[in-house]
Amino acid sequence: MFNKNLIPIKIFCNKIKKTLFTNLINTIVSIFIILIISLVCLNTFKWLIFNANWKVVTSNLPLYAFGSFPSNQQWRPATWIISLLSLSIVTLFGPDWKFVRKNLLLAWISTIPLGLYLLYGGLGLTPVMSRHWGGLTLTILLTACSSLLSLPFGIVLALCRQSSLPLIQKISSIYIDVMRAIPLIAVLFFGQLLIPLFLPIGIEIDRVWRAIFAFTLFVSAYIAEDVRGGLQAIPNTQIEAATSLGLNQYQVTKFVLIPQALRIALPALTNQSIGLFQNTSLMAILGLVELLGIGRSILANPEFIGQYIEVYIWLACVYWLFCTIMAVLARHLEQRMRINKENF
């Protein structure tokens, strides 16, 4: 008896046959490439399982996660990271209740003051200086704080660049163009080395906040261009309709322009967030021991000298995992916004 479930398999096999094995030359080339890929995958799998020495990773997991945070207080950054992962799970797979959807954004924003409280201490917790922060905790903190500050700053810059006032438009345009023309490492050097020179005597900003300030200045210029692209994609009929309903310029911007521009620019904003997470690795050059800096400090240990491949494969997997989580969350948000738009 003919099995209908085999039809998709046969269609797939026919497509492969037509694509890879149309003639003798294509067949030989396809078999050769498949053989090379198979050998590479087999040797890589063999090395990962039998030859690699993963002690450099397993014996330093707390260091990768928390840096030199005091060992008796490491439950604090661990609690913060677990809360972020739990909130990600709730966002993706949680119940679609009105209460949950209404307070989800507030919950995400509240994770940043929660993280700062747990890391800095005070109010019942032992204070910990920022020089003891490091590893994955510091990477996430730099990304979260910089993203939170650069988004509203970028929106303001985009609106200023669209302004009808020539002076405001010119100043914002110059700022955006200058920031996009300067390498990020130069901005980070400015934040770490030159900002203290411009501060009055007696006022000090620790290195973590200098890094956040530098990232914010840099990323906001790119966010401004992404948001400006979203603003330009909104048809003028939307503005005319809002004006005819009696909305003033502020209301049109708040309720019509910004929500639609952010929805249009969401894929580009996601790229900026992922790029920011990856670019925090540049802080290893400037002395902040974030995730990559921890890896370099471990490799300087005589016990683990020469185990570069294991360390960098592990770091690549960690970066891949968290960048994938960010991409999945953004895709989920994009789908929710599309559904809300269709329902509206």
Side-chain angles (χ1 to χ4, degrees):
M1 188 173 180
F2 183 72
N3 190 354
K4 293 183 179 180
N5 294 328
L6 295 177
I7 293 178
I9 299 176
K10 289 185 176 181
I11 294 174
F12 178 72
C13 294
N14 290 332
K15 286 184 177 180
I16 292 179
K17 184 177 179 180
K18 290 179 180 179
T19 304
L20 301 179
F21 307 107
T22 53
N23 52 52
L24 181 60
I25 296 178
N26 283 350
T27 301
I28 294 173
V29 172
S30 299
I31 292 175
F32 180 71
I33 293 175
I34 292 173
L35 182 62
I36 292 177
I37 294 175
S38 301
L39 289 174
V40 171
C41 293
L42 182 63
N43 290 330
T44 302
F45 180 78
K46 180 181 176 182
W47 180 85
L48 290 173
I49 300 299
F50 300 106
N51 297 334
N53 183 8
W54 295 109
K55 185 181 177 183
V56 66
V57 174
T58 57
S59 61
N60 295 294
L61 285 177
L63 199 58
Y64 283 112
F66 314 120
S68 59
F69 210 87
S71 57
N72 62 335
Q73 300 291 325
Q74 287 181 357
W75 63 269
R76 289 155 52 176
T79 301
W80 185 51
I81 294 176
I82 291 172
S83 68
L84 290 173
L85 294 177
S86 302
L87 193 54
S88 300
I89 294 173
V90 171
T91 303
L92 294 174
F93 308 108
D96 193 17
W97 297 339
K98 184 177 180 181
F99 174 79
V100 174
R101 287 188 283 110
K102 187 177 180 181
N103 296 283
L104 203 55
L105 178 60
L106 181 61
W108 275 107
I109 295 176
S110 64
T111 57
I112 295 180
L114 173 64
L116 293 174
Y117 167 67
L118 289 173
L119 294 179
Y120 271 113
L123 298 178
L125 296 178
T126 304
V128 177
M129 301 298 293
S130 60
R131 65 174 177 268
H132 297 298
W133 305 355
L136 181 62
T137 304
L138 182 58
T139 296
I140 296 176
L141 182 73
L142 291 173
T143 304
C145 292
S146 301
S147 299
L148 182 66
L149 295 175
S150 59
L151 180 60
F153 190 27
I155 293 173
V156 171
L157 284 173
L159 293 174
C160 289
R161 192 159 190 176
Q162 297 284 93
S163 174
S164 58
L165 299 175
L167 181 61
I168 294 178
Q169 181 187 17
K170 198 51 128 178
I171 292 174
S172 60
S173 299
I174 291 173
Y175 174 83
I176 292 171
D177 293 338
V178 168
M179 276 298 166
R180 294 172 68 197
I182 298 176
L184 175 57
I185 189 64
V187 180
L188 294 176
F189 268 112
F190 168 80
Q192 292 297 312
L193 304 177
L194 297 182
I195 286 180
L197 301 179
F198 294 96
L199 295 176
I201 298 175
I203 297 179
E204 244 181 82
I205 301 177
D206 67 41
R207 303 180 67 185
V208 173
W209 284 105
R210 276 182 265 162
I212 291 172
F213 179 70
F215 277 121
T216 300
L217 291 178
F218 185 82
V219 176
S220 59
Y222 288 84
I223 289 178
E225 288 299 278
D226 295 334
V227 175
R228 188 169 71 93
L231 291 172
Q232 291 179 341
I234 301 173
N236 290 329
T237 53
Q238 300 256 357
I239 302 175
E240 294 171 359
T243 305
S244 65
L245 291 174
L247 274 66
N248 57 36
Q249 184 62 40
Y250 171 76
Q251 293 172 326
V252 171
T253 302
K254 180 179 178 181
F255 298 112
V256 179
L257 295 181
I258 293 179
Q260 294 190 73
L262 291 178
R263 183 174 63 248
I264 295 170
L266 184 58
L269 295 176
T270 304
N271 285 340
Q272 296 297 339
S273 298
I274 293 174
L276 176 60
F277 183 83
Q278 296 171 346
N279 287 333
T280 56
S281 59
L282 292 173
M283 296 309 302
I285 303 174
L286 301 176
L288 281 179
V289 282
E290 42 64 66
L291 193 56
L292 182 62
I294 289 294
R296 295 175 62 180
S297 64
I298 290 174
L299 289 173
N301 188 336
E303 183 181 354
F304 303 115
I305 286 179
Q307 298 184 19
Y308 297 97
I309 300 179
E310 291 88 344
V311 169
Y312 287 120
I313 287 178
W314 163 249
L315 293 179
C317 291
V318 174
Y319 277 107
W320 172 84
L321 175 63
F322 279 86
C323 289
T324 302
I325 291 174
M326 295 168 66
V328 171
L329 288 171
R331 194 177 302 117
H332 177 78
L333 177 60
E334 190 175 355
Q335 292 173 354
R336 293 297 308 175
M337 295 173 73
R338 187 182 299 114
I339 292 173
N340 293 337
K341 180 183 178 182
E342 292 173 355
N343 293 337
F344 180 77

